[in-house]
Amino acid sequence: MTQASEIQQGALLNLITPTGDAAELRGCDLIIEAVFEQRALKAAVAREAEPMLAAGGVFASNTSTARHGAGFALSPALRERLAAGA
């Protein structure tokens, strides 16, 4: 595998759009939740963001509590996908 050029790296970084507005996530193929470790906040972000995913999209989190559901409120569909390792 070759390393991406500086131009390629810049192009990839330009595809990342941070937002605090869940409506801007509508239709995204990939949503990465990266709020700090406060269960209530992570749960609120997941509840708002997950419905915005494109069909077959990926919801990623930097938390270890999501897989086990420890205070992390996820929809049944997303909880099932996490349990299956999807």
Side-chain angles (χ1 to χ4, degrees):
M1 178 178 277
T2 61
Q3 189 171 4
S5 71
E6 212 170 295
I7 292 172
Q8 291 169 319
Q9 290 174 18
L12 288 172
L13 288 173
N14 284 334
L15 295 174
I16 300 171
T17 306
T19 185
D21 182 359
E24 292 180 5
L25 300 172
R26 187 169 308 283
C28 284
D29 294 319
L30 173 63
I31 297 174
I32 303 170
E33 169 276 310
V35 298
F36 48 90
E37 292 294 328
Q38 284 189 358
R39 288 181 179 170
L41 178 59
K42 284 188 170 290
V45 168
R47 279 192 306 272
E48 289 182 25
E50 184 206 345
M52 301 299 151
L53 275 173
V58 174
F59 182 85
S61 175
N62 70 335
T63 189
S64 59
T65 60
R67 182 166 298 281
H68 304 292
F72 199 77
L74 302 174
S75 74
L78 186 55
R79 187 176 302 280
E80 185 176 308
R81 289 174 59 194
L82 287 170

